Amino acid sequence: MLKRTAFCKFNLATRCRTAWRARLIVIPTLIVLVLAGCDGGGGGDGGGSNDVGTDSPSSFAIGGSVHKGPFRNGSSVIIVELDDQLTTSGVQFNTSTVNDLGHFNTNATIEAPFVEIITSGFFFDEVSNDISNSALTLRTVSEFVAGETINVNILTQLASRRVEALVLTGGTFDEALAQAQQEVLGMFNIEAADIANFDTLDITGSGTGNAILLAVSALLMQAAVTADPDNTAGQISQLMANIASDFESDGVLNDPGIKDRILQAGIDLDLEAVRANLEAEYAELGETLDAPTFEDFIDTDGDGLLHGVDDNLPDDFTLTALVDVDPGEEVESNEITVNGILGIVTVTLTGGKLFKDVGDGSGFTEVTVTTPGDTATGTPDVTRTTAAEGDILKIQVTANGALGATDATAFGVTVTATIIVGETTKNFTVSTFPLTEYEFTLDPIVNVPRGSVQTSNEIVITGLVSYLPVSLSNGVLIKNGLELTETTTTVLDGNTLQVKLTASEEFEAEVSATLSIGLSIK
């Protein structure tokens, strides 16, 4: 803070007849034919057990749910009998969903060990928070067991063609299903050997399997929304078809373009919004939903590690504050070496420039990917990058004010840059040096001839750690023996100052100049 001390002036007084005197003066959720809580009997409005009743020893009620988000009321459901080679017998049964929760059921005499269920309809899109703009088809190939529900969802859709291919090569259905399910999860870097069969999963249920279903559903939905928000059902349908074609023969997703889309979808996906959208939709349908913890099964930063196992908390690091910096000076922080993470972490910086060294011998490179701020709302620019284990970061900040500042508002001010590495936030502060008093003397000169030019005593500057601003009101400022055209300057150790004034043309008249050095004014 600027403070004033003794106030003195350099005075000139013309000679008078009598005497002289002197004066001091700052998710997509998966389509699931699952209704873990769906009543397999008559209306399918959810709340009963999963057991389905029997009308006779050979006539069974088949029920379940279809979820992407939930399929809407009236969506088509076709049940096709399959033999042990998963070949159709030509017998099928047609029904439809009976409510907006995706529930369906039908009484049918099933004489085959397996069934294919094909569903088509509009659905709730948990990413866009809206009903789909066109219909989507989902299917499952499942074992038929009297009294058990069968659900249709994104995971059953992804696995079906692979299951069929494995059965055709001589495997049993159980072996084919177990292998195909693990391979589907592997596409999304998910290891969950103990989850239930995909056709039992339900996005409204709790537990690991249901959380995975919602995660994959939301992930593919985000990829579809990113590709074309006006045709999300078409986009997700095409995406799943492309995955199935790539995946069918060897159980591996090989297409780098699809891999990149899935990776980017995880980064783009708003997890909080997906949860809020689903829970609000079910509340509107009269159901209480506590969405499963799907967030743990999303790779949110593109490092190949799921959020639930990713270590986004690097080893602690310190940023050393810099003080007594000259206004306008560009300074750098100490280096930050990123350690203690498994994959990569997101790095953001506000309030400075960010540099990164990835250890390839090229040294530090400035990060230029920046999200512009908004001056109207005071939102700053944000610089973004990622960092892996062993990467080195540093921050560059320009101290408050302009180089060689003489305005008192430039001094004693702190600017802050904030860096976030994974889940760790640190501040790098840079403070300009505060103004200090500097003791000096200007001796008055009296009894001088009218109109004469006089020069003050010389002030020799000593003992400064930083420079000090200098300003003069009236007169001419002389620095190091040279007259200045400006009335402001700065001084360092060893500089000299003088003030030159012209005396008045009147008798007994005084002319004054006021000189300030730092906080001292005389």
Side-chain angles (χ1 to χ4, degrees):
M1 177 180 294
L2 183 65
K3 64 178 182 178
R4 304 182 76 88
T5 56
F7 183 87
C8 302
K9 295 182 180 178
F10 170 49
N11 307 315
L12 293 180
T14 52
R15 181 182 296 115
C16 64
R17 289 190 176 92
T18 57
W20 58 268
R21 60 192 173 194
R23 298 177 190 167
L24 296 178
I25 311 183
V26 187
I27 47 171
T29 29
L30 308 178
I31 295 179
V32 181
L33 273 186
V34 175
L35 224 229
C38 150
D39 184 0
D45 31 83
S49 74
N50 289 335
D51 294 336
V52 285
T54 60
D55 298 324
S56 69
S58 60
S59 180
F60 300 100
I62 297 179
S65 300
V66 188
H67 291 133
K68 161 54 216 71
F71 270 37
R72 312 316 279 181
N73 191 8
S75 297
S76 164
V77 180
I78 301 173
I79 303 166
V80 181
E81 287 189 349
L82 303 176
D83 62 22
D84 57 7
Q85 293 299 302
L86 304 185
T87 301
T88 179
S89 66
V91 177
Q92 71 176 45
F93 307 92
N94 298 326
T95 186
S96 61
T97 55
V98 297
N99 55 31
D100 285 340
L101 298 170
H103 298 175
F104 73 93
N105 60 36
T106 185
N107 289 330
T109 301
I110 303 296
E111 297 180 350
F114 304 101
V115 293
E116 177 183 24
I117 302 179
I118 304 166
T119 62
S120 182
F122 291 81
F123 61 92
F124 176 70
D125 172 358
E126 69 276 14
V127 173
S128 301
N129 196 28
D130 203 355
I131 305 303
S132 64
N133 41 26
S134 61
L136 175 68
T137 298
L138 292 179
R139 67 190 286 257
T140 183
V141 174
S142 299
E143 184 176 11
F144 172 71
V145 178
E148 293 186 3
T149 58
I150 299 176
N151 296 322
V152 183
N153 53 60
I154 289 285
L155 291 179
T156 64
Q157 170 71 24
L158 293 175
S160 293
R161 285 176 59 176
R162 178 61 176 159
V163 170
E164 293 169 337
L166 289 169
V167 169
L168 288 175
T169 63
T172 68
F173 178 81
D174 288 344
E175 292 169 342
L177 182 63
Q179 180 176 336
Q181 290 192 162
Q182 291 306 308
E183 290 169 343
V184 168
L185 297 180
M187 283 193 290
F188 303 96
N189 295 321
I190 297 172
E191 296 181 9
D194 296 331
I195 72 167
N197 288 346
F198 289 169
D199 63 7
T200 68
L201 301 181
D202 183 339
I203 61 170
T204 67
S206 59
T208 298
N210 298 317
I212 290 172
L213 174 59
L214 179 52
V216 175
S217 180
L219 196 62
L220 296 186
M221 196 74 251
Q222 178 65 58
V225 169
T226 299
D228 185 355
D230 295 325
N231 184 27
T232 54
Q235 284 292 332
I236 195 170
S237 179
Q238 185 63 53
L239 178 59
M240 288 189 297
N242 291 341
I243 291 174
S245 296
D246 184 308
F247 173 74
E248 179 180 1
S249 62
D250 60 2
V252 176
L253 180 61
N254 299 294
D255 189 323
I258 297 177
K259 290 180 178 180
D260 288 344
R261 288 184 66 184
I262 293 173
L263 195 70
Q264 188 60 49
I267 297 170
D268 295 340
L269 190 60
D270 187 336
L271 305 181
E272 292 183 3
V274 167
R275 174 175 290 278
N277 293 344
L278 269 176
E279 292 179 354
E281 173 67 9
Y282 274 87
E284 189 169 324
L285 296 174
E287 298 286 322
T288 299
L289 171 66
D290 182 10
T293 55
F294 72 96
E295 296 90 344
D296 286 347
F297 298 96
I298 301 289
D299 178 2
T300 57
D301 55 14
D303 65 354
L305 297 173
L306 301 182
H307 184 70
V309 298
D310 203 351
D311 182 2
N312 286 310
L313 187 65
D315 292 346
D316 195 28
F317 59 89
T318 300
L319 284 170
T320 304
L322 298 182
V323 297
D324 293 336
V325 177
D326 288 354
E329 182 181 355
E330 281 190 339
V331 293
E332 293 182 347
S333 70
N334 54 288
E335 295 179 357
I336 305 164
T337 300
V338 179
N339 286 319
I341 60 172
L342 296 177
I344 63 173
V345 291
T346 300
V347 179
T348 62
L349 177 74
T350 55
K353 296 179 180 179
L354 181 62
F355 293 82
K356 181 169 75 169
D357 182 351
V358 297
D360 60 359
S362 60
F364 282 97
T365 303
E366 183 178 356
V367 177
T368 57
V369 179
T370 300
T371 302
D374 185 349
T375 55
T377 61
T379 304
D381 295 347
V382 179
T383 302
R384 301 180 181 277
T385 188
T386 58
E389 180 79 4
D391 286 353
I392 304 174
L393 307 169
K394 66 179 179 180
I395 304 167
Q396 185 182 86
V397 168
T398 301
N400 180 66
L403 288 172
T406 58
D407 184 347
T409 61
F411 302 91
V413 177
T414 299
V415 294
T416 301
T418 300
I419 189 169
I420 303 175
V421 182
E423 297 177 3
T424 299
T425 302
K426 298 282 185 176
N427 290 327
F428 174 47
T429 59
V430 177
S431 304
T432 50
F433 64 86
L435 289 183
T436 59
E437 297 178 359
Y438 183 79
E439 291 302 321
F440 65 97
T441 300
L442 282 174
D443 299 326
I445 303 176
V446 297
N447 209 26
V448 299
R450 291 176 299 165
S452 64
V453 177
Q454 303 292 326
T455 302
S456 73
N457 56 291
E458 184 179 70
I459 304 167
V460 179
I461 305 298
T462 59
L464 293 188
V465 175
S466 303
Y467 79 84
L468 286 179
V470 174
S471 66
L472 176 71
S473 66
N474 200 18
V476 176
L477 191 57
I478 301 172
K479 179 180 176 181
N480 299 331
L482 299 176
E483 293 187 6
L484 305 182
T485 57
E486 304 293 332
T487 57
T488 59
T489 188
T490 60
V491 289
L492 297 168
D493 258 19
N495 291 162
T496 62
L497 291 175
Q498 290 176 284
V499 176
K500 185 169 74 174
L501 276 177
T502 300
S504 173
E505 293 292 344
E506 303 294 328
F507 286 106
E508 201 174 350
E510 184 179 88
V511 178
S512 298
T514 302
L515 178 68
S516 67
I517 303 176
L519 291 177
S520 298
I521 303 174
K522 296 187 179 182

